[in-house]
Amino acid sequence: MEPSQSQSLPLLLLLYLAVTCASAAAAEGGESRLRYDSCYGCICEAASRCNRSLGCDDGACGLFRITRHYWLDAGAPTLPADARLLNDAFERCATDPFCALRTAHHYMERYRKDCNGNQQVDCHDLALLHFLGPSCEGTMPSAYTDEFDNCRFNALLLGAGDV
Ligand SMILES: *[C@@H]1O[C@H](CO)[C@@H](O)[C@H](O)[C@H]1NC(C)=O
């Protein structure tokens, strides 16, 4: 790992995202007043470096790399103006940072469990659910693990708080 590059740049992106997302989410109101806390921020860091410009590749879309299957399991949330039956409702939601966050939240609410058997449901469990699915068996690919652990370490150092 190259400490200076792999640690500081993603962290800046995370903080930028947290700030911009928090203000835009506040404007939306209601249920969508979700925030990119250090947990969801680090899951998207691991998934895509929180790159908000990402479209869809091989069926995985947006900054959380959400698949249609994942989105459906999460109750198929849509952008405020969109109907669920719209042909591209999935792509439009998964490539929108707030709709994608909402999707991940719903998914975690539905499947949350103690994946790693440490007697609590914490951010590490949410990451395992995100990358491995509801059974959350096995281990995350090391590229995800490295990015996630690194991000969590930095976030907790900065006092972003545990979730
Ligand atoms: C984010 O993704 C876009 C689209 O794939 C790419 O052009 C851009 O370089 C990426 N940005 C970063 C910071 O990786």
Side-chain angles (χ1 to χ4, degrees):
M1 212 185 297
E2 248 110 70
S4 58
Q5 284 204 341
S6 68
Q7 290 182 5
S8 55
L9 182 60
L11 188 64
L12 285 177
L13 290 174
L14 168 66
L15 291 174
Y16 169 77
L17 191 77
V19 170
T20 53
C21 286
S23 48
E28 269 185 66
E31 190 213 9
S32 52
R33 230 183 319 171
L34 294 170
R35 280 163 193 263
Y36 275 84
D37 57 25
S38 74
C39 183
Y40 285 92
C42 286
I43 291 175
C44 88
E45 277 287 332
S48 74
R49 302 251 168 159
C50 289
N51 188 335
R52 306 170 69 171
S53 313
L54 286 178
C56 299
D57 307 287
D58 292 331
C61 299
L63 79 184
F64 282 113
R65 312 314 290 147
I66 286 172
T67 63
R68 184 179 293 274
H69 192 99
Y70 181 109
W71 178 73
L72 288 171
D73 281 352
T78 59
L79 291 179
D82 283 358
R84 188 160 302 175
L85 295 178
L86 212 66
N87 228 359
D88 57 355
F90 156 62
E91 287 84 355
R92 288 167 54 81
C93 175
T95 55
D96 174 87
F98 306 110
C99 203
L101 178 62
R102 204 141 50 89
T103 305
H105 263 269
H106 287 324
Y107 191 86
M108 300 313 173
E109 274 167 19
R110 177 168 179 193
Y111 293 117
R112 58 182 293 115
K113 71 173 180 184
D114 179 15
C115 295
N116 58 8
N118 70 346
Q119 314 305 322
Q120 56 186 355
V121 178
D122 55 23
C123 185
H124 193 245
D125 296 306
L126 302 191
L128 290 169
L129 286 166
H130 186 77
F131 291 111
L132 300 173
S135 69
C136 56
E137 278 161 9
T139 51
M140 284 196 276
S142 63
Y144 294 144
T145 311
D146 290 349
E147 205 60 50
F148 177 76
D149 289 347
N150 191 21
C151 176
R152 286 290 284 168
F153 179 76
N154 282 310
L156 295 177
L157 263 191
L158 277 189
D162 208 350
V163 182

